[in-house]
Amino acid sequence: MFPGETEVATAAAELATRLPVPLRPLARVAYNYWWSWDADGPSIFEAISPTRWSACGHNPVRLLAESSTADLARAAVHPALVARIDELVERLEVDLGRSPAAGAASSPDHPVAFMCAEFAIHDSLPIYSGGLGVLAGDILKEASDLAMPTIGIGLLYRTGYFRQRLDTSGGQHEYWIDADPDRMPCVRVREATGEPLILVVPIDGEDVSVGVWRVDVGRVPLYLLDTDQPTNSPVGRWVTSRLYEQNRTIRLAQYAVLGVGGIRLLEALGIEPAVHHLNEGHPALAAAARVARRVAAGDSVTNAWTAVRDEFVFTTHTPVPAGNETYSRKEIQGVLHEIGEETGNLERFMAMGRIDQADRSEPSGMTALALRTSRSANGVSRRHGDVARRIWQPLFNAATPDEVPITHVTNGVHIPTWLAAPMAELLDRHLGEGWRQRADDPATWEPVDDIGGADLWATRCELRRRMITMVEHRAVNDRLRRGEEVDYAAAADTFDPNRLTIGFARRLATYKRLHLLSLQPERAIALLSGDQGIQFVFAGKAYPTDEGAKQIVRELFGLKHRPGVSGRVAFLEDYDMSLAAVLVSGCDVWVNLPRPPLEASGTSGMKAVLNGGLHLSVLDGWWAEAFDGTNGWGIDGAVDSDEGAQDARDAIRLFDLLENEVVPTFSRRDADGLPVEWLRLIRSSLKSNGPRFSATRMVREYTQRIYPRQT
Ligand SMILES: *Cc1c(COP(=O)(O)O)cnc(C)c1O
């Protein structure tokens, strides 16, 4: 039992008091995000009041707290619903009651402490921005499913990540919404006395008080640190306000709260982790906090820095040196002065974050610190491992990249979260009982060959139809809100549920090269017309200061009044997990166009292929190891130092593939109207990718290869 469990039970009991007796067990479910990946969980909450469910942003605590007495009373006398609730609660109890995995690298007394700046657990918990958070969330969920004792440590951002609106020219506008933790499925962790647990982290001369919240993710508690405490200065209170805050000083302060606060949290809770997993560099100051402990206990500074390596493993997610942000002496000395001093030697502390430790003018960064203080380091795909070894060769003084001690664990996605219901039902019928637990075994996926073409196609068409309904609804609303003419807005209601639909949605960093689609505007527009025309769905947020990425969206919008575009192309605003889930499952083709070798992994394509979508991507990140010529389409991933030339060439290749392969294959039908070759591609994709890109395979790899100490 991890600390905070009583607080969760108390909050659930309190919520239960306002519910009719048959609904009361649901309060406990509402405080554990396990429901979100149970096959019936979301529809049970929705059934209580579909309008309230959507108005509450799919937050079950708010749903139960805010539903009218009439709605609650109606649900409570609905025998079928009450039976489903009882079964749901039973499934949760069984899941929580399972014994921990035997022979795992961690145990309930010594769990893995997984530390990350963002976690994407569910869209009702807005503390994530994109792929890194989704990966962290998927790891916690899978650790729960595999009963691997694990806890998560992150930050509770009071205003989360920004929300996005576009104007009629495609200009992006950002806004932030304050979250109210008391209405979210999280509870404040308290001392035995009942007082809130408060940690202290010294930042820039202030002893910043840090409160602690607990969110349950199945069997895994996620502890979130929060500086919005009344005793802090206004700046101190602001530290954990926004994810990826633009202000560098605040960002550095966040790293202090996450890393140092994370270690103080573990001490306060009495948890001695089997290993600390630093997911990306942001929590790396945890190592400094552990060094400080050793030095305080009498260890020498040098020994302490060597010894802590035993306690940490590190996953790097960013192949761009510029993305591995660094800070000047002045910045570090300002914000992290006390933390550095506590390690016994501020100079040494700063040197640990440099590539060349002897060069005092070199700025320090969290990635270098994490690499120096971890006994294991890994990238997130085979190719990224290779790229990371080259990037960090100087730090390790290695003669060749092969000697750099960085390996890779390719990312994977949590199947129960990302597999849409119609596809889940189809696979359940064919892959046999308990197939999700065997998802990393190629034999599990063999029966995909026996899925009838008509069944497979019907499922894909249903997924597309579901998505198109959502796209039409959202696109019309988005357009009206932006102030478009009614005719133009209404045109978004004319998407075709039977047309080949291509999706591209992700963070709009410039290296993701959405602009390749507007480099060949005439070909793009020609593809939209005719009986065999296609449709495009886009979504994604540009980082608020990334003018280049914002400009790409405006350029795309420059085509919006061209003939045929208004009813065939939609850019949906405010990309998040729930929108992602519908797009990755409904699109026929999922496109990724990273500038190689900058895509560390990419995971949205894994979600798409799991649902029977086909992937068309530059051979970078995960696709470089996944594409085999029969399971999708690839664009050469060689690196060209002439970026303009590469963009032009890759855009041509993209449209060649769409015109010559994708569209004809989708359009060729047999006598029964089935696209036989397309279905063959889907089967090949499911069989080859299914076993390799699940979180089941990924978490098993971490627990078998990375977490155990190599003795
Ligand atoms: C899966 C996911 C991502 C990751 O996208 P990639 O560019 O493929 O890595 C980003 N954002 C959301 C909301 C996601 O669900």
Side-chain angles (χ1 to χ4, degrees):
M1 173 167 149
F2 294 113
E5 202 160 307
T6 320
E7 291 88 322
V8 175
T10 307
E14 217 163 281
L15 180 60
T17 57
R18 83 172 294 273
L19 303 176
V21 173
L23 301 189
R24 286 192 178 167
L26 261 191
R28 178 157 159 59
V29 182
Y31 276 97
N32 191 327
Y33 272 111
W34 169 88
W35 65 265
S36 69
W37 71 92
D38 177 82
D40 204 22
S43 29
I44 286 178
F45 286 116
E46 184 175 17
I48 291 173
S49 166
T51 45
R52 184 80 352 229
W53 182 236
S54 139
C56 293
H58 311 140
N59 170 346
V61 168
R62 278 189 61 191
L63 175 88
L64 298 182
E66 296 173 16
S67 285
S68 68
T69 9
D71 279 343
L72 293 172
R74 197 165 29 245
V77 297
H78 197 300
L81 183 60
V82 171
R84 279 163 65 199
I85 291 173
D86 290 344
E87 285 163 17
L88 180 72
V89 173
E90 170 70 15
R91 283 197 297 279
L92 175 60
E93 298 299 340
V94 167
D95 187 72
L96 298 181
R98 286 180 300 148
S99 308
S106 62
S107 67
D109 288 338
H110 302 289
V112 172
F114 185 86
M115 308 175 78
C116 190
E118 54 168 314
F119 286 91
I121 307 296
H122 187 254
D123 52 299
S124 63
L125 189 65
I127 56 166
Y128 68 92
S129 87
L132 179 68
V134 173
L135 183 84
D138 280 7
I139 284 180
L140 295 194
K141 291 170 181 176
E142 189 69 36
S144 174
D145 289 350
L146 293 173
M148 303 288 184
T150 301
I151 66 167
I153 298 177
L155 299 179
L156 182 74
Y157 303 96
R158 289 291 181 115
T159 56
Y161 197 55
F162 76 87
R163 310 287 297 265
Q164 177 198 49
R165 291 281 172 235
L166 298 177
D167 60 31
T168 52
S169 323
Q172 174 178 291
H173 301 262
E174 301 95 22
Y175 64 103
W176 281 260
I177 295 179
D178 287 354
D180 177 359
D182 288 326
R183 303 180 83 83
M184 299 198 311
C186 63
V187 298
R188 204 179 258 290
V189 177
R190 296 177 182 277
E191 309 254 27
T193 58
E195 289 301 306
L197 172 62
I198 300 288
L199 314 164
V200 175
V201 178
I203 296 169
D204 200 0
E206 177 180 351
D207 273 340
V208 175
S209 301
V210 180
V212 183
W213 301 85
R214 170 171 159 151
V215 176
D216 280 5
V217 185
R219 303 162 57 96
V220 173
L222 168 59
Y223 296 101
L224 298 174
L225 307 177
D226 167 22
T227 65
D228 189 8
Q229 305 297 323
T231 48
N232 289 335
S233 73
V235 174
R237 293 186 73 155
W238 179 258
V239 169
T240 54
S241 276
R242 290 180 176 178
L243 173 57
Y244 301 135
E245 168 69 60
Q246 290 161 38
N247 184 310
R248 290 169 59 85
T249 304
I250 299 286
R251 246 188 344 248
L252 209 44
Q254 291 185 343
Y255 303 158
V257 174
L258 179 60
V260 178
I263 294 300
R264 297 195 175 172
L265 170 74
L266 292 166
E267 290 167 356
L269 301 182
I271 295 175
E272 285 177 26
V275 63
H276 306 79
H277 186 166
L278 305 174
N279 196 45
E280 192 59 309
H282 312 114
L285 290 170
R290 290 296 303 152
V291 166
R293 276 290 172 264
R294 286 175 181 269
V295 169
D299 212 348
S300 75
V301 173
T302 305
N303 279 351
W305 280 111
T306 310
V308 290
R309 294 188 72 244
D310 198 40
E311 304 176 12
F312 290 91
V313 300
F314 170 53
T315 300
T316 171
H317 293 259
T318 319
V320 215
N324 293 288
E325 199 183 36
T326 55
Y327 294 85
S328 69
R329 285 182 76 77
K330 192 155 160 280
E331 287 173 306
I332 303 261
Q333 282 175 336
V335 182
L336 303 180
H337 182 81
E338 294 93 336
I339 290 169
E341 290 287 349
E342 283 173 14
T343 62
N345 185 335
L346 180 62
E347 273 310 321
R348 178 67 182 269
F349 166 75
M350 285 191 283
M352 292 301 281
R354 297 199 288 257
I355 292 173
D356 178 357
Q357 287 187 283
D359 178 1
R360 286 168 55 113
S361 67
E362 189 189 310
S364 307
M366 295 298 141
T367 311
L369 179 63
L371 286 168
R372 285 198 193 287
T373 55
S374 298
R375 64 173 150 87
S376 160
N378 69 277
V380 289
S381 69
R382 188 174 67 202
R383 182 166 187 187
H384 177 226
D386 193 45
V387 170
R389 282 189 288 279
R390 284 166 207 282
I391 293 177
W392 298 106
Q393 186 178 343
L395 183 141
F396 291 96
N397 283 322
T400 66
D402 290 345
E403 287 173 16
V404 174
I406 299 179
T407 178
H408 74 273
V409 174
T410 302
N411 285 344
V413 296
H414 184 241
I415 293 178
T417 296
W418 295 108
L419 188 59
M423 194 66 185
E425 283 154 23
L426 182 72
L427 293 179
D428 284 348
R429 285 205 298 279
H430 289 86
L431 302 192
E433 187 78 24
W435 70 267
R436 288 176 180 76
Q437 284 78 55
R438 294 180 281 107
D440 53 347
D441 180 356
T444 301
W445 297 84
E446 285 302 322
V448 160
D449 277 337
D450 308 328
I451 303 179
D455 269 357
L456 183 54
W457 188 235
T459 302
R460 286 301 312 163
C461 290
E462 183 187 343
L463 286 167
R464 189 187 320 102
R465 204 159 29 237
R466 243 177 37 143
M467 171 184 70
I468 292 298
T469 305
M470 185 274 307
V471 167
E472 290 179 337
H473 177 78
R474 283 191 57 153
V476 172
N477 280 330
D478 282 355
R479 289 179 187 186
L480 288 172
R481 202 187 308 98
R482 307 203 262 267
E484 299 281 11
E485 299 290 340
V486 168
D487 285 352
Y488 177 78
D493 202 22
T494 62
F495 276 78
D496 184 340
N498 298 313
R499 265 182 189 240
L500 169 56
T501 307
I502 297 192
F504 182 109
R506 49 179 49 87
R507 274 186 318 111
L508 296 180
T510 28
Y511 81 85
K512 304 270 193 180
R513 294 197 302 175
L514 174 61
H515 68 278
L516 295 198
L517 283 156
S518 36
L519 276 187
Q520 301 257 308
E522 302 316 321
R523 290 174 85 180
I525 284 162
L527 274 170
L528 302 174
S529 59
D531 286 347
Q532 301 186 349
I534 66 176
Q535 316 179 116
F536 282 109
V537 183
F538 301 112
K541 298 174 177 177
Y543 189 73
T545 53
D546 188 347
E547 285 308 324
K550 290 183 173 181
Q551 181 57 26
I552 289 169
V553 181
R554 281 193 291 265
E555 276 162 23
L556 210 55
F557 267 58
L559 301 172
K560 76 180 190 186
H561 289 305
R562 300 286 293 268
V565 170
S566 61
R568 296 279 174 258
V569 183
F571 194 111
L572 303 181
E573 295 175 4
D574 211 28
Y575 190 51
D576 69 1
M577 278 181 89
S578 59
L579 180 52
V582 182
L583 298 185
V584 295
S585 58
C587 285
D588 297 289
V589 178
W590 196 255
V591 171
N592 194 13
L593 303 166
R595 177 184 306 291
L598 301 186
E599 184 72 302
S601 168
T603 51
S604 57
M606 300 175 186
K607 303 166 193 166
V609 297
L610 188 64
N611 283 290
L614 294 173
H615 200 222
L616 188 170
S617 167
V618 172
L619 294 170
D620 196 17
W622 77 284
W623 196 233
E625 70 200 79
F627 178 60
D628 66 7
T630 73
N631 58 358
W633 297 277
I635 296 174
D636 182 14
V639 177
D640 188 334
S641 55
D642 184 343
E643 296 190 347
Q646 177 153 33
D647 287 359
R649 204 171 47 239
D650 291 354
I652 290 171
R653 178 72 181 138
L654 167 69
F655 283 98
D656 285 351
L657 281 172
L658 291 175
E659 291 164 3
N660 304 332
E661 299 194 32
V662 176
V663 173
T665 310
F666 186 89
S667 308
R668 257 193 303 277
R669 304 296 164 99
D670 71 2
D672 300 321
L674 295 178
V676 178
E677 278 173 68
W678 191 270
L679 294 170
R680 191 161 49 231
L681 283 169
I682 294 178
R683 289 198 191 86
S684 168
S685 162
L686 282 169
K687 284 199 310 176
S688 57
N689 297 318
R692 297 178 61 198
F693 302 105
S694 68
T696 315
R697 190 271 309 146
M698 166 177 64
V699 171
R700 287 213 168 110
E701 242 185 279
Y702 276 111
T703 51
Q704 289 164 8
R705 280 183 45 219
I706 305 294
Y707 297 156
R709 288 182 177 76
Q710 311 296 331
T711 45

